Amino acid sequence: MIDGRLTRYSLWQFRDFVIDRGISIMIIGILWGYLLIEPVRHSMGGAFAMIPESPTWMILMTITSSVVSLAVLIALNGLVSTDRKMGYYRFIFSKPISPVAFYAQLFVVYMVGVLVAMLILALMLKHFVPGFSVANFLLYSALIYIAMGGIGFFISVATRFDWLTLAAVWLGSHMLRTLYGAKPGLAGKLVQLLPPVHKLDAVANELITYRRADASDTVWLLGYGLGFFALGLLLLKKGQLAD
Amino acid sequence: MDGLSATGKHNGTSSVVIDFSNVGKTYRSLLGNSVKAVEEFSLQIVDGEVLGIAGPNGAGKSTLIAMMLGYLRSTTGSITINGLPPRAYVERNGIGYLSELIAINPRWRAETALIRYATLAGLPSDQIRTRVGEVIERLGLEGHRDKKIKALSKGNLQRIGLAQVLLRNEQILVLDEPTHGLDPVWTQKFREIVAGLKRPDRTILIASHNLDELQRLADRVVIIDNGRLQRIVTTGYEQGGAVTTRFRLTLAGGFDRVREVFALVEETGRGEYDVTVGSVKELNIALADLIAKGGLVASVVPERSVLEQQFREAVGESR
């Protein structure tokens, strides 16, 4: 009688993603892309072309990596914390449902949602940039979702201010790695424990431009994200739903 | 009145469903401050029982319920439901839970919210719409099914809350302030619905400030204050035992006989008297005597219910 209830509920979760987050992601992605590409296209006229290693390609890289990062931030915002903050968990988890399974499924469903949004944006982009690899862009999006999203998931379980905290962790890691990453001594070693955000640009460029990525960078990013995702699930299992 | 007998045994066949054993809950802040919300709480609730939980604001009722549903972990002691830890029980079987604060995503519509809950409750796909339609009709929500949750009044929201409890035939129901925010008509209907939910294999917990409601619905009522179990009261006068109770007696005739049969009498109006007796049995003997002597009894109304009296004593004692 109760088999497959969570699987059936995934359709509702996907619907929530589309209404609450997908539309915003699409609007931001289209506007961002248009605002950055259109002036360049307009000024270059017939000479407009985005080919690897050209200055215009760098603009493309900036757009794609920013849009994916923002999409993940929007998708992950309040993934767990909103239900706890608003008290929605009370009715949901009085049903025969495991919070661990519920939120693990939500994480996966939202990943599918982000990838669908990125697919639509990539197909639109391909119209202007024929050499753009949609498949590799989706691979990159999936990688960022897991790397950044895994940390975001953990933060959403652990705190109520997940969006802000994730943004701070992400940007803070970028800054600290830039400042201390190459320095010898303790500071240089400690920053290596921070999220591997410094690898994102390289992985984005490799995957989207050259259609391959360094295996160790990819594993490091995936491992970091999946590790935090697992920690988030453990915290859900061992912690309390109510405050 | 049972004093502090913590086990509910109606008959020899009742079995313990929910077992609180020396449960305590302390909230600790990051600064190291701590507040004891529940202390040394022990209670056994059997199948078929309707248990009321009464207590003033901040007494620990909601904390107890949150621990029972596995939303909070107890700091000391243990809670088991049919032998399982609360969360394990809920994840396996579910509990029909109406929370004091009805928190449903405000963007959901009333009917789709119930369809979602029915899906999570594990109702078969082909039965969900039928079942949701039934509970909507039962709770008079037909005119609100397409409204967003944020557009519903407090009373209608409360009805949605009870509707989601009724979706599935749970063995355990927990109703926290079930009639909060309802108008008198729906308060009465709610009580009828809740009374109709009673069955031998179901355990029902009702937390309420409304002692009259608990008196009507519950078999026993636990009175808690300052996080501690103060008293367990068996509702109903038939088991009243020795408790001093005041009744408002109204007579249509034979006024001069009242003082002959009641030792403690106070005249409060024409034909109206407040009489104090030691038990319901004593009251009945005195009334029979009064009638035999020509008294014409128009009404006998307790000044306070047994529960209200016990509540006042228990909460007063703990302060």
Side-chain angles (χ1 to χ4, degrees):
Chain A
M1 181 181 168
I2 54 176
D3 287 345
R5 56 184 180 265
L6 257 186
T7 315
R8 282 189 280 140
Y9 195 74
S10 65
L11 296 174
W12 288 108
Q13 292 176 323
F14 189 76
R15 182 182 148 151
D16 288 341
F17 175 85
V18 172
I19 294 169
D20 298 341
R21 298 154 201 257
I23 293 168
S24 312
I25 290 171
M26 292 299 296
I27 291 170
I28 289 170
I30 291 169
L31 284 177
W32 198 303
Y34 180 81
L35 288 174
L36 288 175
I37 293 176
E38 187 52 25
V40 180
R41 206 166 79 103
H42 185 74
S43 64
M44 290 176 75
F48 175 78
M50 282 185 162
I51 51 172
E53 296 183 20
S54 68
T56 50
W57 191 261
M58 288 301 111
I59 295 174
L60 184 70
M61 286 295 100
T62 306
I63 295 166
T64 50
S65 59
S66 306
V67 167
V68 174
S69 296
L70 259 177
V72 174
L73 269 179
I74 293 169
L76 267 292
N77 178 29
L79 192 78
V80 180
S81 62
T82 298
D83 287 348
R84 298 173 66 183
K85 206 159 38 186
M86 304 305 290
Y88 303 152
Y89 71 90
R90 292 193 189 100
F91 288 166
I92 293 173
F93 297 116
S94 64
K95 308 292 178 280
I97 291 291
S98 151
V100 174
F102 182 88
Y103 287 115
Q105 174 173 289
L106 191 63
F107 184 80
V108 173
V109 169
Y110 279 20
M111 177 172 168
V112 172
V114 167
L115 292 181
V116 170
M118 293 303 110
L119 174 66
I120 297 167
L121 289 174
L123 289 173
M124 291 166 78
L125 187 62
K126 195 171 172 64
H127 179 71
F128 299 101
V129 188
F132 185 71
S133 168
V134 173
N136 283 36
F137 175 67
L138 290 182
L139 271 178
Y140 171 72
S141 302
L143 181 63
I144 297 303
Y145 185 88
I146 294 170
M148 194 172 171
I151 300 168
F153 181 82
F154 171 78
I155 293 171
S156 194
V157 176
T159 77
R160 286 170 169 236
F161 309 103
D162 49 354
W163 193 89
L164 271 178
T165 312
L166 179 60
V169 166
W170 212 248
L171 293 173
S173 300
H174 241 304
M175 275 173 52
L176 290 170
R177 280 188 178 277
T178 308
L179 288 172
Y180 303 104
K183 288 191 175 173
L186 186 65
K189 284 188 177 120
L190 282 177
V191 292
Q192 301 308 318
L193 296 173
L194 294 171
V197 288
H198 60 303
K199 297 191 182 290
L200 287 176
D201 292 341
V203 170
N205 196 32
E206 284 168 1
L207 257 180
I208 297 169
T209 309
Y210 304 109
R211 306 186 179 200
R212 59 179 161 70
D214 183 86
S216 66
D217 287 354
T218 310
V219 168
W220 180 228
L221 279 166
L222 279 177
Y224 209 94
L226 287 173
F228 269 93
F229 177 61
L231 270 179
L233 293 179
L234 187 70
L235 196 58
L236 261 179
K237 176 119 186 115
K238 300 288 179 193
Q240 303 182 125
L241 283 166
D243 292 329
Chain B
M1 272 70 36
D2 303 4
L4 276 173
S5 160
T7 309
K9 293 279 182 194
H10 293 177
N11 55 55
T13 60
S14 296
S15 59
V16 173
V17 175
I18 304 166
D19 187 4
F20 291 89
S21 176
N22 203 29
V23 173
K25 177 69 186 174
T26 304
Y27 292 104
R28 288 193 176 85
S29 74
L30 288 173
L31 298 172
N33 300 324
S34 62
V35 177
K36 284 183 178 173
V38 175
E39 286 183 80
E40 296 170 1
F41 187 90
S42 293
L43 181 72
Q44 291 181 324
I45 308 161
V46 300
D47 53 5
E49 181 172 16
V50 179
L51 182 91
I53 305 175
N57 290 328
K61 303 188 293 290
S62 296
T63 301
L64 269 177
I65 289 173
M67 287 193 287
M68 215 201 90
L69 285 147
Y71 298 157
L72 286 174
R73 287 177 193 278
S74 59
T75 314
T76 57
S78 67
I79 304 169
T80 56
I81 306 175
N82 280 341
L84 293 171
R87 199 60 237 158
Y89 177 86
V90 176
E91 287 178 18
R92 197 172 295 179
N93 305 286
I95 283 181
Y97 174 45
L98 173 61
S99 54
E100 183 180 5
L101 294 170
I102 308 292
I104 304 174
N105 191 322
R107 291 191 297 275
W108 293 359
R109 293 182 190 280
E111 185 176 24
T112 54
L114 292 173
I115 290 172
R116 284 169 184 256
Y117 291 131
T119 306
L120 287 173
L123 266 69
S125 302
D126 56 349
Q127 292 174 20
I128 286 178
R129 289 201 175 264
T130 310
R131 185 68 192 138
V132 167
E134 284 169 4
V135 294
I136 281 178
E137 192 183 334
R138 190 170 179 192
L139 288 158
L141 289 163
E142 297 95 329
H144 306 287
R145 61 203 313 160
D146 293 325
K147 284 186 185 168
K148 287 196 170 178
I149 293 295
K150 64 182 173 190
L152 295 177
S153 66
K154 168 72 187 139
N156 287 332
L157 201 55
Q158 193 75 7
R159 286 194 259 164
I160 291 284
L162 185 61
Q164 62 86 35
V165 171
L166 301 179
L167 287 169
R168 196 163 165 255
N169 282 321
E170 309 288 3
Q171 193 209 346
I172 298 173
L173 303 179
V174 179
L175 311 173
D176 196 355
E177 300 291 349
T179 55
H180 181 63
L182 293 175
D183 61 40
V185 173
W186 266 101
T187 298
Q188 185 53 36
K189 284 189 182 176
F190 241 56
R191 286 175 184 164
E192 286 166 14
I193 290 170
V194 172
L197 292 172
K198 189 172 179 178
R199 61 181 205 206
D201 62 340
R202 177 178 277 158
T203 302
I204 305 176
L205 267 75
I206 305 171
S208 180
H209 286 105
N210 190 329
L211 299 178
D212 179 50
E213 185 167 274
L214 295 179
Q215 176 81 45
R216 288 161 191 252
L217 295 171
D219 301 316
R220 290 189 301 161
V221 176
V222 295
I223 299 170
I224 57 174
D225 193 21
N226 295 325
R228 285 179 177 272
L229 197 161
Q230 303 293 340
R231 199 168 287 206
I232 302 175
V233 181
T234 302
T235 56
Y237 288 97
E238 70 281 3
Q239 295 183 36
V243 67
T244 305
T245 313
R246 271 164 83 93
F247 290 86
R248 172 66 50 88
L249 175 67
T250 309
L251 296 181
F255 310 114
D256 53 342
R257 303 292 182 199
V258 177
R259 292 185 194 282
E260 292 177 21
V261 295
F262 289 102
L264 290 167
V265 183
E266 189 182 330
E267 190 167 356
T268 55
R270 192 177 170 206
E272 287 186 354
Y273 305 87
D274 279 352
V275 296
T276 304
V277 289
S279 68
V280 175
K281 193 175 177 185
E282 187 186 322
L283 172 72
N284 278 269
I285 291 168
L287 284 174
D289 194 15
L290 177 64
I291 291 165
K293 288 177 174 169
L296 202 53
V297 178
S299 70
V300 185
V301 180
E303 189 188 47
R304 286 177 196 153
S305 66
V306 172
L307 179 57
E308 189 181 349
Q309 192 165 323
Q310 293 278 317
F311 184 85
R312 282 170 182 263
E313 287 174 19
V315 171
E317 282 167 10
S318 71
R319 298 251 156 134

